[in-house]
Amino acid sequence: MNERDRDLDHKGRKTGLRLIMWLAIALLIAMGLLWAFASRVAEPATSQRAPLNETPPATQ
């Protein structure tokens, strides 16, 4: 068995290319989830409420 045969999986396909393909798909999914969380779920910093232990400036 030569070196070229070891790069093939049991169906004769290149394993390195398949690994890169799956890593690219996983990266795209992770980026999509991060974008969805950052743009829709997380509150922007300007609309966040003050912590409960701080008193508003009007009551001081």
Side-chain angles (χ1 to χ4, degrees), residues 38-59:
S39 65
R40 300 169 193 249
V41 177
E43 291 183 20
T46 56
S47 65
Q48 289 180 353
R49 297 185 303 174
L52 295 176
N53 58 356
E54 288 184 12
T55 57
T59 60

Side-chain angles (χ1 to χ4, degrees), residues 27-43:
L27 184 62
L28 287 173
I29 292 171
M31 288 173 53
L33 290 173
L34 182 64
W35 173 81
F37 176 77
S39 65
R40 300 169 193 249
V41 177
E43 291 183 20

Side-chain angles (χ1 to χ4, degrees), residues 1-54:
M1 182 178 274
N2 60 18
E3 194 170 321
R4 291 179 81 180
D5 292 337
R6 279 187 267 151
D7 289 342
L8 303 176
D9 66 1
H10 67 281
K11 291 185 178 179
R13 294 181 289 212
K14 293 269 188 186
T15 54
L17 294 176
R18 292 192 60 173
L19 177 63
I20 292 172
M21 179 189 69
W22 282 112
L23 290 175
I25 291 171
L27 184 62
L28 287 173
I29 292 171
M31 288 173 53
L33 290 173
L34 182 64
W35 173 81
F37 176 77
S39 65
R40 300 169 193 249
V41 177
E43 291 183 20
T46 56
S47 65
Q48 289 180 353
R49 297 185 303 174
L52 295 176
N53 58 356
E54 288 184 12

